[in-house]
Amino acid sequence: EPEVTQTPSHQVTQMGQEVILRCVPISNHLYFYWYRQILGQKVEFLVSFYNNEISEKSEIFDDQFSVERPDGSNFTLKIRSTKLEDSAMYFCASTSSYEQYFGPGTRLTVT
Amino acid sequence: ELKVEQNPLFLSMQEGKNYTIYCNYSTTSDRLYWYRQDPGKSLESLFVLLSNGAVKQEGRLMASLDTKARLSTLHITAAVHDLSATYFCAVDGNDMRFGAGTRLTVKP
């Protein structure tokens, strides 16, 4: 069964460093999303992406964040200068219609 | 701004009992989702409700949507231990807003 994959599963970085989180959505899906979940809290929408451009973004998704689909398979989230409060699980999701399929997540730890 | 409220936030129930989780939201939307999350895991899609009056059932779980009341319910019938998890509702407005989650513990 097709699934969304994410790498790395865990990333540790120092404050101020740039990180790139990678996702491979399900191959025939057209809509892609990034979410984050701070430990023990609710899931927060970051950004949606369709047709090679951002379709919606939340107030969390400020200038420190960017997304890219560099080739036909990968979908990346870049955080330019990480802060301690960026520590969270980051989930990628994709869909072809309504049901979103979530990847396993990347745990980002900023020290 | 779209707000999504779930209650209860914590639910401890005995096996075999029934219970309902409620999800209220603040603005008009025709798409509501229910997800399950096990500790340390990702989100698993349970139901997608797309219209007023929609009802979907899978095993011991049944979800319904009343768009006029801006309310969705997730009903658990004859709970079993395997249903222990956190359940989130999410509403698709201009972006996807999640409720705070209901942490369900089913005890023998």
Side-chain angles (χ1 to χ4, degrees):
Chain A
E1 185 176 322
E3 57 183 22
V4 177
T5 60
Q6 288 185 244
T7 54
S9 56
H10 190 191
Q11 172 95 45
V12 182
T13 189
Q14 289 195 322
M15 199 166 52
Q17 295 296 305
E18 174 183 286
V19 294
I20 296 176
L21 310 183
R22 291 182 168 80
C23 169
V24 179
I26 294 172
S27 62
N28 62 342
H29 286 184
L30 302 175
Y31 299 85
F32 315 116
Y33 306 82
W34 282 103
Y35 297 88
R36 80 173 184 192
Q37 186 179 32
I38 295 169
L39 185 64
Q41 299 188 22
K42 67 179 176 184
V43 178
E44 298 175 294
F45 168 81
L46 293 177
V47 65
S48 59
F49 193 86
Y50 170 71
N51 203 24
N52 286 322
E53 59 182 32
I54 290 173
S55 48
E56 298 290 342
K57 60 182 181 179
S58 73
E59 59 275 8
I60 302 168
F61 194 88
D62 61 20
D63 293 343
Q64 292 299 311
F65 292 88
S66 62
V67 289
E68 200 175 42
R69 190 158 160 81
D71 54 43
S73 58
N74 289 286
F75 179 49
T76 62
L77 174 70
K78 183 193 292 187
I79 309 175
R80 288 191 183 80
S81 178
T82 50
K83 306 183 187 83
L84 293 176
E85 54 264 36
D86 293 327
S87 295
M89 282 290 286
Y90 288 81
F91 294 106
C92 170
S94 70
T95 185
S96 59
S97 57
Y98 298 115
E99 185 169 7
Q100 293 192 17
Y101 294 85
F102 281 73
T106 293
R107 180 173 297 282
L108 176 65
T109 303
V110 182
T111 61
Chain B
E1 180 189 325
L2 174 58
K3 290 187 178 2
V4 181
E5 292 185 355
Q6 261 182 264
N7 67 84
L9 298 183
F10 297 92
L11 177 55
S12 178
M13 53 192 297
Q14 296 235 294
E15 279 192 329
K17 298 292 187 185
N18 305 332
Y19 209 84
T20 301
I21 299 171
Y22 297 88
C23 177
N24 290 90
Y25 54 98
S26 60
T27 64
T28 304
S29 174
D30 288 332
R31 292 186 216 164
L32 191 132
Y33 304 78
W34 284 97
Y35 294 94
R36 169 183 171 142
Q37 187 178 38
D38 291 295
K41 303 290 187 183
S42 185
L43 284 90
E44 175 192 351
S45 177
L46 295 174
F47 301 107
V48 182
L49 302 169
L50 298 175
S51 60
N52 187 40
V55 177
K56 291 195 174 179
Q57 181 161 8
E58 181 75 34
R60 300 174 189 274
L61 301 178
M62 183 173 71
S64 66
L65 177 61
D66 181 343
T67 58
K68 292 178 183 174
R70 296 176 188 165
L71 170 68
S72 179
T73 60
L74 180 67
H75 186 72
I76 302 154
T77 302
V80 293
H81 179 69
D82 285 352
L83 290 179
S84 297
T86 298
Y87 293 84
F88 291 96
C89 66
V91 179
D92 197 354
N94 288 328
D95 56 34
M96 188 87 115
R97 296 276 169 155
F98 281 74
T102 297
R103 188 173 296 179
L104 171 65
T105 304
V106 181
K107 298 180 178 178

